[in-house]
Structure formats: C-alpha cells, structure tokens
Amino acid sequence: MNPIYERERAMVTVRPARSGDMEAIRAIRNHAIEHSTALWTQTPQSPAEGAAWLAAHLERGSAFVADVAGEVAGFAVYGPWRELDGYRHTVEDSVYVREGRHGLGIGAALLDALIAAAREAGHHVVIAGIEAENASSIRLHERFGFQYVGTIPEVGTKFGRWLDLTLMRLALA
C-alpha cells in the first residue's frame, strides 16, 4: 500500500541543457515566479532574458534538464554565489521541477547531477538559498548532505509578505 505522499518514481534522464530547451525552462521558471516564493521577483522572464540567462549557464556548463518521456520536467543550474573573485570557488544552486511533477524523484536526480558537475568543475562549496518555509527543498538538500548555516529573517518580499532566507552549504572537497 502506497501512502498518498509517496508517488511512483519517474524514469528520469538528466542531461546537459541545450539552447533548444530555453522555452521549456523559461515556462518552468515563469510558473515559479508567478505562483511561488522560490524566485523572489514578480517579473516573468521574457524570451530574450531567458535566452541570455541560459546562454551564460551553457557557456560555463552549469545547466541541466530532467527529461521524462520526452518532456523537460525540470531543470537545475549553478552559478556564481558572489561576483568578487574571492568567491570564485563557491557556487549557488537552483533546482526547479515542472508543476504536477513533484515527488517523482526529478529534483533529486537534478541535484545529484548538479553536485557532480560542480565538483568536477573544481568548485569548493555549493550554497543553497531557500525560502525558509520551503520544507521540501530544505529536505532535498539535507538528503544530499547540505548543512544548515542559518536563516536571515525578512530579507525579501513577495506577495505582500516578508520572506526569510535559509542558507545551506555543501563542501565538495
């Protein structure tokens, strides 16, 4: 008997993203912008912004998609945590799953590939900045060994309320 919170795992293939994945990635991203506190903006990404954003990740090899039955069911990227060169060995991750595809192991498959890629690229630490009430993202990162660093109260706002930022870190070396 499967409890309602357990769903059958999807057959997920994680691969490096391609420029042709931009619209699918942008749709997932814009859904998160419009309906969640995962991205702290209320401005949807335009096609030109999406293409430029993805191009930067493709250039550094830091974008991945989860393919489930020929559909982009999620994406993950890592990018610089801070712009100053003293932070050059630290990156921040982002993992997003298409609406209706949560709980199928897609986020875990993406995060696993992202961590491996960041390690292979020679990075030292991966930071996760997560809205403090996003328990499922916090649990996902904990499963991969991320450690809780702290929560900064009321550093963002969306949907008319203040948001707290939970920071987690994973040492790669």
Side-chain angles (χ1 to χ4, degrees):
M1 181 167 132
N2 284 339
I4 194 162
Y5 57 84
E6 289 184 11
R7 297 174 65 184
E8 187 175 325
R9 297 288 178 196
M11 290 296 300
V12 181
T13 302
V14 176
R15 62 167 171 78
R18 302 183 286 251
S19 59
D21 297 320
M22 192 275 294
E23 278 304 321
I25 291 170
R26 192 173 75 85
I28 294 167
R29 197 172 152 90
N30 280 344
H31 187 274
I33 289 169
E34 294 169 9
H35 301 282
S36 79
T37 56
L39 281 159
W40 293 8
T41 181
Q42 292 177 271
T43 306
Q45 194 178 51
S46 72
E49 291 166 335
W53 176 85
L54 183 56
H57 286 289
L58 294 178
E59 185 176 320
R60 94 178 132 251
S62 63
F64 300 86
V65 296
D67 182 290
V68 176
E71 170 195 52
V72 173
F75 74 91
V77 296
Y78 70 78
W81 185 53
R82 297 284 186 267
E83 295 300 323
L84 298 175
D85 66 348
Y87 297 106
R88 69 187 172 278
H89 301 293
T90 302
V91 294
E92 183 173 9
D93 77 321
S94 295
V95 178
Y96 293 89
V97 175
R98 181 179 297 283
E99 183 65 24
R101 299 301 230 152
H102 296 95
L104 301 173
I106 295 166
L110 284 163
L111 187 54
D112 188 47
L114 199 70
I115 291 167
R119 184 175 280 124
E120 187 174 311
H123 295 294
H124 182 67
V125 169
V126 179
I127 299 290
I130 305 167
E131 196 276 320
E133 292 183 8
N134 189 342
S136 61
S137 184
I138 291 169
R139 278 193 313 272
L140 172 66
H141 283 80
E142 285 174 341
R143 283 189 3 233
F144 281 85
F146 281 74
Q147 297 175 323
Y148 174 80
V149 176
T151 297
I152 309 169
E154 298 184 0
V155 293
T157 184
K158 190 168 182 184
F159 303 137
R161 65 185 180 95
W162 288 105
L163 303 174
D164 300 343
L165 181 66
T166 292
L167 293 174
M168 302 180 80
R169 77 179 282 277
L170 176 68
L172 297 175

